[in-house]
Amino acid sequence: MGVLIQRPGEPGHPGGSRRIYVRTNYRGQRKTRVFNTMKAAEAYAVKAESILTDANMGKTDAAQIFSQPAGKAAPAPTFGQAVERWWALEGASFKGGTRDTYQNILALHILPRFKGRDLTSITATDMEDWWAGIRARKLSHDHSINIRSVMVGVLRRAVKSRLIPSNPADAILGRLGREDREVRQAEWLTEPELIRALAVAEAREPRYYPAILTIASTGLRMGELVGLQVGDVDLDRCRLSVRRRIRKREISSPKSGKARTVDVPPSTIAVLRDWINTVRAEAAVRGHEALWLFPSKTGTPIEEPLLRDAWKRVLTVAEILRLVRVHDLRHTYASLALQRGVPLLVVSRQLGHSSIGVTGDVYGHLLPDATREAATAWEAILNANSRNSRATVPPESS
């Protein structure tokens, strides 16, 4: 015997932002009533509990409760409500960049068509028609995959929540095929361009020079740089500990999900040593202890747009006319290191890539020497055979 009220968001609640469920159970006989207001649900629950108690004492029939008016039932859940539920349950695990991407996808490609639709009315044919429209837009391969992943994820959560019996988006799963477009390579600075840009930054942008130099000589991501604290710098061992990143003022773990240690050139450490003294002096004036390695003038982590603007000014003065982002300093670090003969595995670890394969896909074109060595080795093998005067051609088999 029992009466249970399930509010939105509570364990076992099947979904929806307004629906309130009242479940009754008497001798294995179960019934559920749905309400739009808590007042109506609580009134019904009190009455149900009273009837069930009387029935248990033999005063009335428990079947009476199932004939009680339940009030107006809530409408069937919409696709928009399913999105809200998916975001509430799974959105917290998304990284900042992923959240931004998914929000844009929902706003541009999914919600305009499906937001108000009755969730149970969406069919596999609807999914196929929608997906055909998405594919006709000739979006990038990766973006198309992300769009499909969001749709499949929303409806998969709806299935788990028992809002729908099966996932109609299963109809659009499968291989997307090859993307017939030019492969974009990472932009990066040559050694002379980098040296010229760093000289301009030191002379014209002293507030941002240490940050620009750090990215260029370590390959950190922008968010990882912004998230560095003074205690993350090991001046004696010439190392940085990358423990967090900050994106849109939100602190999270590094993109790979793991902390890592990055080796820093001694000349960069020398600049950081002086910079830390400056940061500590500024913090003392504010009456605080220095926390962030690259703070704003108020002591909070530096705002990314300020660093980007400073970098644009550097490029202008250095007469580097093509579009090179601050993030491209990371590409510059990897590209120049590989050209100097640093092993791909070492560069991959410094960059914090999830695997060496990722590094190879992005920067493999900068490793011509390795393939040239293979060709040279085979040339030696072929020449050795041609110089062997006693070598004979094996007879053909009969």
Side-chain angles (χ1 to χ4, degrees):
M1 182 186 70
V3 178
L4 174 65
I5 298 178
Q6 288 185 322
R7 302 166 179 82
E10 292 183 345
H13 191 279
S17 59
R18 296 180 57 189
R19 298 183 302 166
I20 302 165
Y21 288 77
V22 179
R23 305 186 188 277
T24 59
N25 184 0
Y26 177 72
R27 296 180 180 176
Q29 191 175 16
R30 299 178 182 178
K31 285 290 183 178
T32 299
R33 298 289 189 184
V34 184
F35 297 86
N36 286 326
T37 67
M38 179 58 68
K39 183 177 181 180
E42 290 178 344
Y44 177 81
V46 169
K47 194 169 186 178
E49 187 71 47
S50 175
I51 293 175
L52 288 176
T53 301
D54 289 345
N56 190 54
M57 296 173 63
K59 295 181 180 180
T60 187
D61 185 357
Q64 291 183 34
I65 192 172
F66 303 135
S67 62
Q68 298 299 316
K72 186 178 178 181
T78 64
F79 181 86
Q81 291 172 330
V83 169
E84 292 176 0
R85 185 168 185 81
W86 171 73
W87 195 264
L89 293 174
E90 302 185 23
S93 64
F94 300 150
K95 294 289 186 181
T98 302
R99 285 200 300 272
D100 293 343
T101 298
Y102 285 1
Q103 285 176 336
N104 289 333
I105 286 173
L106 287 166
L108 295 176
H109 303 294
I110 297 179
L111 289 178
R113 181 158 180 173
F114 293 104
K115 183 177 181 179
R117 283 280 300 272
D118 179 344
L119 192 60
T120 60
S121 72
I122 299 175
T123 65
T125 302
D126 292 327
M127 287 290 99
E128 290 174 343
D129 292 343
W130 167 78
W131 184 235
I134 295 296
R135 297 291 283 153
R137 298 182 191 180
K138 301 296 184 181
L139 302 172
S140 72
H141 189 273
D142 290 344
H143 194 44
S144 297
I145 290 177
N146 284 334
I147 293 172
R148 185 176 65 178
S149 295
V150 172
M151 177 61 82
V152 172
V154 169
L155 295 176
R156 184 174 292 157
R157 168 50 59 184
V159 172
K160 291 181 180 179
S161 298
R162 298 183 180 179
L163 300 181
I164 51 178
S166 61
N167 189 344
D170 288 344
I172 61 174
L173 294 178
R175 185 171 176 270
L176 264 64
R178 185 181 63 186
E179 183 177 20
D180 292 326
R181 64 175 60 195
E182 180 182 355
V183 178
R184 181 184 179 275
Q185 293 182 346
E187 187 64 74
W188 50 281
L189 298 174
T190 63
E191 285 193 35
E193 287 174 333
L194 177 63
I195 296 304
R196 190 163 73 248
L198 290 177
V200 170
E202 184 177 15
R204 299 291 190 94
E205 303 289 344
R207 181 79 194 177
Y208 303 103
Y209 170 64
I212 292 172
L213 176 64
T214 300
I215 293 182
S217 58
T218 62
L220 293 184
R221 300 177 178 91
M222 174 77 87
E224 295 171 343
L225 177 96
V226 174
L228 286 175
Q229 296 181 356
V230 173
D232 295 329
V233 185
D234 189 333
L235 296 173
D236 296 329
R237 297 183 180 181
C238 296
R239 292 178 177 176
L240 290 175
S241 295
V242 182
R243 298 187 175 98
R244 70 197 71 79
R245 72 168 181 167
I246 298 178
R247 180 181 173 85
K248 295 185 177 181
R249 301 181 182 180
E250 291 186 6
I251 300 177
S252 63
S253 61
K255 187 174 181 179
S256 64
K258 299 184 296 184
R260 72 182 189 278
T261 300
V262 175
D263 289 303
V264 186
S267 58
T268 302
I269 286 292
V271 172
L272 290 179
R273 189 185 302 273
D274 293 339
W275 174 247
I276 289 174
N277 291 334
T278 300
V279 170
R280 285 173 172 163
E282 292 178 351
V285 171
R286 294 191 298 269
H288 298 94
E289 186 176 351
L291 177 61
W292 303 105
L293 181 59
F294 299 109
S296 65
K297 293 182 179 180
T298 59
T300 58
I302 188 174
E303 297 286 348
E304 292 185 15
L306 296 178
L307 185 55
R308 293 193 183 100
D309 290 342
W311 177 243
K312 290 178 182 178
R313 295 192 294 268
V314 168
L315 291 178
T316 300
V317 176
E319 298 182 346
I320 299 173
L321 302 181
R322 67 186 189 282
L323 178 62
V324 182
R325 306 164 300 168
V326 176
H327 183 75
D328 292 326
L329 286 173
R330 172 175 165 86
H331 297 319
T332 298
Y333 166 83
S335 302
L336 297 183
L338 290 171
Q339 289 184 332
R340 286 278 186 165
V342 178
L344 186 64
L345 178 60
V346 175
V347 173
S348 180
R349 288 174 176 172
Q350 284 278 108
L351 295 176
H353 282 164
S354 57
S355 71
I356 191 174
V358 174
T359 316
D361 289 342
V362 178
Y363 304 106
H365 64 287
L366 297 172
L367 298 170
D369 291 342
T371 56
R372 174 52 52 193
E373 289 175 4
T376 301
W378 270 101
E379 181 67 15
I381 292 172
L382 296 174
N383 286 338
N385 284 336
S386 64
R387 291 194 300 269
N388 187 352
S389 60
R390 290 180 293 180
T392 58
V393 178
E396 294 184 3
S397 59
S398 57

